[in-house]
């Protein structure tokens, strides 16, 4: 069979139906290593840079995190000022471009939190995003008064602070020689702050850790409650934190460079792989700053899990006493790197079990990937995923493991294929039964399959002949089709075809098939390294598929190295998606087709929906994914007067 292929065609659908994947925060129970995981789908962390602030102005502390995937995550506090409870509100906050550092602060003095970041193209420069009504505007490059750009080494984590108490935020960034560069805020021009370079050796500070100096992460905080700002410093060559005390005043700082605190907190110092980013915030509402520390990893190794520390301040503002609480603050599922999920009913009990491969684990040498097996001990509607095996199928399969399940020999049980880093695919035949799986000790490499790398297989009957064909993603970004020319009992893959030309993504393609539009054929979702998830609608038929790029489905931007698994594991009609990403964790999305504006799901958009939306906005009601899908007419992840206007226009047009 020759599969017809197409180039890039955008925007086939013009229907009034909206189709969206929604980020979920449902309380799915999970255990890892015998311990419960409170927030299994918070994404995992490798080098998380954090900042805490009350973004939604509800009186409690929210948290923003930026990891190596460059996407700014927003964890909203839906608890109280004294008892925080977080949800993952968005994985791509206001579509801020990918950057390496960020800082929220009231830069223009209007009591709204503006954003400063690294310039996304000129990475040594600085960008300013003005906050207007909790919407960040287009970024403006920050310059000095003579037009020369304000700069910071792209590997530093700089900060802003009103060090001279004149009512505006000055800029500080580290240098590789262990000093601090200081830019004074000197005014405004063309809607942006203007800074003036003052010195590359502010206050003669020179930090040399472990006889060396390197990248740094800075934050100012009045730690001793004496009215001036002290400096906390995480360094590439330090496993703890430095504190440089201010002996001067709020107007005239005098930093004590002779009596630097070299381990902090002093009563119980943090000890990590190095380059610790300090984050002070009153997390428990007792009016003193607690401490959240991000481990960015430095000279002492890579700390890819347990890298978000929380110390509670049980003292007072003037006499802080920090007590260690956890090094896994959000308590999410984190399998180090490159999580690759798969769903299958491995024990034939009518519910979906969860399997997650990863990039590598340093638990034994050589460092190879593992597949973690989470058996569903709940039901098909309410899963409880308990880790049963941290080395499913053994520990000798290589790196970047991507499993997929199907009954390849038509004997009624689930067999497994595993793609790996070198581009090979291993086949494990189930020698047991549907209820009790027993796999061959060693995987058999599929003959003739040697992809460019990062083999990511999918098994699907793509030509309608009642056997499983093999479709693979790879490092080069192609989607490769291997037709099963054998039989349902004995597969034989042949006829290599690029399913989509040109390649749908530039690198690390990861296919998942699902009949999204419910027309009887398989559509295609493609995960990628850098280009999020792309959707290809099957405009052919079950025997002769033809895949065409389609942007009618809204998919949140999630991060890098995305691998997909899908199924109906929460009951109902909504299709659930689990997405693995580079930071070793997973996100949970639901797919909810809806009619735009039909908030009460009665099949029409009318004045009743307008009334419902007005009440939703006035009462600040929490919406279900389907309700949000229908109500958010402009796809800005909010419900407000703009959506009401859009619904009214929709009704008038009809």
């Amino acid at each position: 069979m020759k599969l017809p292929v197409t180039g890039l065609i955008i925007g086939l659908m013009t229907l009034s139906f909206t189709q969206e994947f929604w980020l979920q925060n449902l309380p799915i129970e999970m255990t890892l290593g015998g311990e419960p995981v409170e927030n299994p789908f918070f994404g995992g962390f490798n080098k998380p840079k954090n900042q805490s602030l009350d973004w939604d102005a509800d009186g409690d502390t929210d948290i923003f995190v930026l990891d190596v995937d460059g996407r700014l995550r927003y964890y909203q506090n839906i608890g109280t000022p004294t008892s925080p409870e977080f949800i993952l509100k968005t994985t791509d906050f206001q579509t801020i471009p990918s950057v390496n550092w960020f800082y929220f602060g009231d830069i223009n003095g209007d009591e709204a939190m503006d954003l400063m970041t690294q310039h996304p193209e000129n990475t040594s420069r600085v960008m300013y995003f003005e906050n207007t009504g909790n919407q960040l505007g287009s970024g403006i490059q920050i310059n000095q008064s003579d037009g020369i750009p304000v700069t910071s080494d792209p590997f530093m984590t700089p900060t802003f602070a009103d060090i001279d108490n004149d009512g505006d935020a000055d800029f500080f960034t580290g240098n590789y020689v262990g000093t601090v560069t200081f830019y004074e805020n000197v005014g405004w021009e063309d809607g942006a702050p203007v800074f003036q370079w003052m010195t590359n050796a502010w206050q003669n500070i020179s930090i040399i850790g472990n006889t060396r100096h390197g990248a740094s992460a800075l934050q100012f905080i009045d730690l001793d409650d004496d009215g001036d700002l002290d400096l906390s410093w995480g360094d590439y060559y330090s496993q703890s934190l430095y504190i440089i005390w201010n002996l001067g005043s709020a107007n005239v700082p005098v930093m004590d460079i002779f009596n630097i605190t070299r381990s902090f907190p002093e009563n119980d110092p943090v000890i990590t792989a190095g380059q610790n980013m300090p984050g002070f915030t009153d997390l428990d509402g007792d009016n003193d700053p607690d401490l959240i520390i991000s481990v960015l990893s430095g000279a002492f190794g890579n700390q890819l899990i347990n890298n978000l520390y929380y110390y509670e301040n049980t003292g007072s503002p003037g006499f802080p006493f920090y007590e260690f609480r956890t090094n896994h603050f959000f308590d999410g599922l984190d399998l180090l790197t490159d999580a690759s999920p798969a769903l299958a009913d491995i024990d034939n009990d009518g519910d979906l079990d969860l399997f997650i491969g990863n990039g590598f684990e340093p638990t034994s040498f050589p460092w190879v990937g593992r597949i973690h097996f989470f058996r569903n001990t709940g039901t098909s509607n309410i899963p409880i995923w308990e880790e049963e095996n941290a080395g499913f199928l053994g520990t000798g399969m290589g790196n970047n493991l991507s499993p997929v399940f199907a009954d390849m020999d038509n004997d009624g049980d689930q067999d497994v294929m595993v793609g790996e880093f070198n581009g090979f695919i291993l086949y494990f035949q189930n020698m047991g039964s549907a209820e009790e799986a027993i796999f061959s000790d060693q995987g058999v490499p599929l003959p003739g399959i040697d992809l460019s790398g990062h083999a990511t297989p999918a098994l699907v009957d793509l030509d309608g002949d009642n056997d499983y064909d093999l479709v693979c993603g790879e490092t080069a970004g192609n989607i490769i089709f291997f037709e099963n020319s054998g039989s349902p009992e004995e597969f034989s893959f042949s006829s290599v075809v690029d399913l989509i030309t040109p390649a749908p993504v530039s690198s690390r393609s990861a296919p998942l098939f699902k009949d999204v539009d419910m027309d009887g054929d398989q559509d295609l979702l493609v995960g990628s390294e850098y280009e999020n998830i792309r959707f290809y609608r099957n405009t052919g038929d079950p025997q002769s598929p033809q895949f065409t790029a389609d942007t009618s489905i809204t998919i949140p931007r999630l991060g890098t190295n995305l691998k997909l698994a899908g199924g109906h594991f929460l009951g109902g009609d909504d299709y659930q998606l689990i997405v693995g990403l580079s930071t070793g964790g997973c996100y949970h999305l639901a797919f909810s087709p809806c009619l735009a504006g039909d908030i009460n799901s009665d099949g029409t958009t009318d004045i009743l929906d307008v009334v419902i939306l007005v009440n939703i906005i006035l009462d600040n009601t929490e919406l279900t994914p389907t309700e949000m899908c229908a109500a958010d007419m402009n796809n800005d992840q909010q419900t407000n007067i703009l959506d009401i206007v859009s619904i009214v226009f929709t009704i008038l047009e009809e």
Side-chain angles (χ1 to χ4, degrees):
M1 180 196 72
K2 183 177 180 181
L3 291 173
V5 296
T6 68
L8 193 67
I9 302 175
I10 302 298
L12 283 179
M13 300 296 290
T14 58
L15 301 177
S16 59
F17 279 90
T18 301
Q19 295 176 304
E20 300 187 53
F21 281 96
W22 293 88
L23 198 66
Q24 297 289 284
N25 283 279
L26 300 178
I28 295 176
E29 292 186 50
M30 177 179 282
T31 66
L32 179 68
E35 297 295 326
V37 181
E38 183 177 352
N39 299 299
F41 299 111
F42 267 27
F45 303 101
N46 280 358
K47 298 181 179 182
K49 298 177 180 179
N50 82 88
Q51 187 181 355
S52 304
L53 62 143
D54 184 7
W55 173 259
D56 54 7
D58 63 350
D60 53 37
T61 299
D62 310 303
I63 298 179
F64 289 85
V65 174
L66 178 69
D67 214 312
V68 290
D69 56 11
R71 305 303 180 206
L72 189 57
R73 309 182 199 174
Y74 170 35
Y75 295 88
Q76 184 182 25
N77 188 349
I78 61 171
T80 68
T82 57
S83 182
E85 178 184 352
F86 294 96
I87 61 171
L88 178 54
K89 189 68 173 177
T90 176
T91 57
D92 183 30
F93 184 74
Q94 297 199 17
T95 63
I96 298 300
S98 180
V99 292
N100 289 331
W101 63 265
F102 72 101
Y103 177 87
F104 282 100
D106 182 10
I107 304 299
N108 61 2
D110 65 353
E111 299 184 358
M113 286 293 180
D114 308 300
L115 177 66
M116 309 292 285
T117 73
Q118 176 189 53
H119 196 293
E121 285 91 30
N122 299 303
T123 57
S124 64
R125 300 182 184 181
V126 181
M127 293 282 283
Y128 165 66
F129 297 82
E130 182 181 6
N131 182 346
T132 304
N134 263 24
Q135 292 295 309
L136 298 172
S138 301
I140 302 173
Q141 179 176 293
I142 300 303
N143 296 322
Q144 300 183 61
S145 56
D146 55 6
I148 296 175
V150 173
T151 61
S152 171
D153 187 283
F155 296 101
M156 301 293 166
T157 305
T159 193
F160 292 80
D162 184 6
I163 198 64
D164 48 11
N165 199 31
D166 63 351
D168 52 37
D170 308 301
F171 181 55
F172 297 83
T173 183
N175 304 302
Y176 278 114
V177 295
T179 61
V180 177
T181 293
F182 168 46
Y183 288 86
E184 184 178 359
N185 189 331
V186 294
W188 285 80
E189 185 175 327
D190 297 328
V194 177
F195 292 85
Q196 184 62 47
W197 176 86
M198 303 302 293
T199 177
N200 285 335
W202 183 70
Q203 294 277 317
N204 293 318
I205 294 171
S206 179
I207 291 291
I208 300 177
N210 196 31
T211 72
R212 299 183 182 185
H213 33 69
S216 60
L218 310 178
Q219 184 181 5
F220 283 90
I221 175 77
D222 184 3
L223 270 177
D224 48 10
D225 198 33
D226 63 350
D228 55 39
L229 293 174
D230 310 299
L231 177 60
S232 56
W233 177 311
D235 194 84
Y236 186 86
Y237 288 100
S238 171
Q239 291 183 272
S240 192
L241 284 173
Y242 296 106
I243 303 296
I244 306 171
W245 302 95
N246 189 345
L247 303 180
S249 66
N251 299 329
V252 182
V254 177
M255 308 307 291
D256 187 355
I257 61 175
F258 302 106
N259 297 288
I260 296 173
T261 298
R262 297 185 175 273
S263 295
F264 192 83
E266 294 172 278
N267 56 291
D268 186 13
V270 62
I271 302 295
T272 74
Q275 197 179 177
N276 300 312
M277 177 183 175
F280 292 91
T281 183
D282 183 9
L283 195 62
D284 52 9
D286 62 353
N287 297 315
D288 54 34
D290 306 299
L291 176 59
I292 298 177
I293 299 173
S294 296
V295 183
L296 306 184
S297 293
F300 305 90
N302 284 318
Q303 197 163 323
L304 301 180
I305 56 173
N306 300 328
N307 48 22
L308 202 57
Y309 285 64
Y310 170 50
Y311 283 81
E312 182 183 0
N313 186 351
T314 60
S316 64
F319 297 95
F321 188 85
Y322 290 96
E323 295 192 44
F324 172 78
R325 293 291 182 249
T326 181
N327 59 8
H328 193 41
F329 177 72
F330 282 121
D331 193 18
L333 176 70
D334 195 334
L335 301 178
L336 286 96
T337 64
D338 288 343
S340 182
L343 289 161
D345 185 3
I346 197 65
D347 48 13
N348 199 34
D349 63 351
D351 55 38
L352 290 174
D353 307 294
L354 176 62
F355 303 80
I356 305 177
N358 68 356
F360 68 88
E361 291 192 11
T363 51
S364 60
F365 188 82
W367 291 7
V368 294
R370 300 282 192 273
I371 298 176
H372 294 253
F373 166 34
F374 299 84
R375 189 183 298 276
N376 188 347
T377 61
T379 67
S380 59
N381 296 335
I382 306 175
I384 300 173
W385 283 314
E386 298 185 8
E387 187 188 39
E388 185 172 303
N389 191 335
F392 181 72
L393 300 178
T395 59
M397 289 178 285
N399 300 104
N400 294 93
L401 304 182
S402 294
V404 64
F405 292 76
D407 184 5
M408 296 303 300
D409 50 10
N410 203 31
D411 64 351
D413 56 36
Q414 296 287 313
D415 308 300
V416 191
M417 291 190 184
V418 181
E420 52 96 61
F421 172 80
N422 288 319
F424 304 119
I425 297 174
L426 301 175
Y427 171 58
F428 292 82
Q429 184 180 13
N430 188 344
M431 311 298 292
S433 66
E435 290 74 25
E436 187 175 354
I438 300 173
F439 292 97
S440 49
D441 292 336
Q442 298 293 325
V444 178
L446 295 184
I449 296 180
D450 184 2
L451 304 174
S452 62
H454 294 105
T456 309
L459 295 165
V460 58
D461 182 10
L462 206 54
D463 51 11
D465 61 353
N466 297 315
D467 57 28
Y468 286 102
D469 305 300
L470 175 64
V471 179
C472 289
E474 59 169 356
T475 300
N478 297 299
I479 300 292
I480 310 297
F481 171 73
F482 297 87
E483 183 182 3
N484 187 349
S485 56
S487 67
E489 290 76 25
E490 186 173 355
F491 63 86
S492 177
F493 296 125
S494 59
S495 181
V496 178
V497 175
D498 283 343
L499 200 60
I500 300 171
T501 54
V505 297
S506 62
S507 57
R508 296 186 69 167
S509 49
L512 175 70
F513 289 89
K514 164 66 178 172
D515 185 5
V516 170
D517 51 14
M518 296 177 289
D519 64 350
D521 54 35
Q522 296 291 327
D523 305 302
L524 174 62
L525 295 159
V526 182
S528 69
E529 185 170 14
Y530 298 116
E531 293 143 298
N532 202 46
I533 300 172
R534 294 192 169 178
F535 174 59
Y536 284 77
R537 192 178 299 276
N538 188 345
T539 56
D541 57 54
Q543 288 74 41
S544 299
Q546 180 170 324
F547 294 97
T548 308
D550 189 332
T551 58
S552 65
I553 290 181
T554 301
I555 305 172
R557 199 167 61 162
L558 299 175
T560 56
N561 300 352
L562 303 180
K563 307 291 178 57
L564 318 176
H568 296 270
F569 54 77
L570 291 179
D573 295 329
D574 285 354
Y575 181 71
Q576 310 296 321
L577 198 65
I578 294 178
V579 182
L581 63 155
S582 62
T583 50
C586 294
Y587 295 136
H588 173 204
L589 285 75
F591 179 67
S592 303
C594 68
L595 178 63
D598 182 19
I599 302 171
N600 59 1
S601 300
D602 65 355
T604 61
T605 301
D606 52 30
I607 191 63
L608 293 177
D609 298 298
V610 176
V611 173
I612 292 171
L613 182 54
V614 169
N615 289 326
I616 284 171
I617 295 171
L618 291 176
D619 297 337
N620 195 26
T621 304
E622 188 75 19
L623 301 181
T624 67
T626 301
E627 290 170 338
M628 189 66 175
C629 173
D632 183 17
M633 299 290 287
N634 57 1
N635 296 318
D636 66 353
Q637 307 302 311
Q638 301 182 68
T639 53
N640 51 39
I641 188 65
L642 297 177
D643 300 303
I644 295 175
V645 172
S646 296
I647 293 179
V648 170
F649 275 116
T650 299
I651 296 170
L652 293 175
E653 288 174 358
E654 292 177 352

